[in-house]
Amino acid sequence: MTRDTTEPSEFATTVEGAGTLDFIGVDFRLDLRFTDGASVQLESAFTITDRSRGSVVVDPERKDSLLPILQLFGRELDRRSVEGDTLTLFFADGVTLVAGPDAGFESWHFSGPKGRPVRVDPLEGSTSPGAEEALRVRVPGRPFALDIAGDTVDLMSIGPDVTIRFSSGASLRFETDFALTGADGEHAFLDPGDEPSLLGLLALHTEVVSDGAVTGGRIAIRFASGALLEGWPNRRGPSWHYSEPGRARVDIDALPDGEVRHRHSPSSAEIRR
């Protein structure tokens, strides 16, 4: 059963049979990857419940609290569910992982093997004690089309960040984690600071772009082969920058708080799709 609406209270999706947990990455957040290609990033505290041990709170920023998540390595995931602002992972042995919203940070991010990512933003509204605060799942804004359809990838540079240049002269720079879904549907998160994770990106060299768009804080570029390149805002700092040259020059930056800054020449508004 899958249901997707623009109202957070009605947002619900459940996926049965989700493989096993075969990768756990630890830095400022937790990165969980499953054998079906799905992945979950947890940036705020969440709860793990074991029928024999009860419930414990795990905080990605408290390394001494991580033992319960490490014990899940290799376990089979029975199903995963997103309802409103809450992500729940149901493991076959009865253990559950529940992640809700956080008052100050993006709490969790889920990406299926072929589906669009889902993430939950910080609580909105007053942060004073006892105040009611609104919960929301990020709803993309109106797409902004990129003028690169038909371009090919003609250069990729890897350093402190990753820059991809297209045949028209447009360029896309990633400064924090981004994602690549290959033509075979395999989904991976790439880190500009982790060179081995970038190997799959090299396959995009000479690939032809089908279309590209910025929707809210997400940039997505599709290729004729079926591959999909995606980036999102990141609380650590500016995450991606896109630039188009020429008479209709466009510069777009994704900033840490989810804001996206557009700068373009007056003429560009007249010729954009």
Side-chain angles (χ1 to χ4, degrees):
M1 179 276 292
T2 300
R3 195 160 51 87
D4 188 349
T5 77
T6 58
E7 291 297 326
S9 60
E10 298 180 2
F11 185 94
T13 180
T14 299
V15 178
E16 306 284 344
T20 58
L21 177 60
D22 68 347
F23 176 90
I24 300 175
V26 179
D27 50 19
F28 71 97
R29 67 180 182 181
L30 293 176
D31 182 7
L32 311 182
R33 302 178 192 176
F34 298 87
T35 52
D36 70 340
S39 62
V40 174
Q41 285 72 49
L42 300 160
E43 300 191 23
S44 299
F46 56 93
T47 301
I48 292 179
T49 301
D50 186 316
R51 286 179 294 192
S52 62
R53 302 177 186 175
S55 298
V56 294
V57 175
V58 177
D59 186 342
E61 296 187 357
R62 285 185 51 228
K63 305 313 179 202
D64 60 347
S65 74
L66 299 184
L67 181 58
I69 196 74
L70 299 180
Q71 292 173 331
L72 295 178
F73 181 80
R75 296 197 187 188
E76 182 180 355
L77 188 64
D78 184 53
R79 67 187 188 278
R80 51 187 178 250
S81 171
V82 175
E83 294 191 14
D85 52 80
T86 301
L87 167 71
T88 305
L89 305 181
F90 299 88
F91 290 86
D93 59 1
V95 175
T96 59
L97 185 157
V98 180
D102 185 275
F105 301 103
E106 181 179 290
S107 175
W108 55 264
H109 173 218
F110 164 73
S111 180
K114 295 184 180 180
R116 66 180 180 85
V118 177
R119 67 178 67 212
V120 66
D121 279 348
L123 296 168
E124 288 186 304
S126 170
T127 57
S128 60
E132 290 188 3
E133 297 176 306
L135 307 179
R136 68 188 177 105
V137 170
R138 177 170 295 167
V139 178
R142 182 179 178 182
F144 179 89
L146 306 179
D147 194 17
I148 54 173
D151 279 13
T152 57
V153 175
D154 67 356
L155 182 142
M156 288 182 281
S157 64
I158 298 173
D161 47 43
V162 171
T163 299
I164 300 170
R165 192 179 70 192
F166 302 90
S167 54
S168 65
S171 65
L172 172 60
R173 183 178 73 247
F174 291 107
E175 298 183 24
T176 59
D177 295 2
F178 58 104
L180 174 64
T181 303
D184 58 0
E186 183 175 351
H187 185 84
F189 281 89
L190 312 182
D191 183 347
D194 179 19
E195 286 79 4
S197 75
L198 302 175
L199 184 60
L201 185 69
L202 302 181
L204 293 182
H205 187 241
T206 73
E207 284 273 357
V208 178
V209 177
S210 294
D211 59 73
V214 172
T215 308
R218 171 181 177 258
I219 187 168
I221 297 177
R222 297 184 183 275
F223 296 87
S225 65
L228 173 65
L229 188 65
E230 300 171 278
W232 301 270
N234 190 299
R235 67 175 181 171
R236 291 185 296 173
S239 57
W240 58 263
H241 171 83
Y242 176 82
S243 178
E244 287 178 7
R247 180 169 62 92
R249 181 174 179 84
V250 173
D251 289 284
I252 308 174
D253 290 284
L255 303 178
D257 58 1
E259 177 188 356
V260 177
R261 181 178 298 162
H262 293 251
R263 298 183 301 279
H264 54 83
S265 66
S267 61
S268 67
E270 302 171 2
I271 66 173
R272 304 301 300 172
R273 294 194 297 276

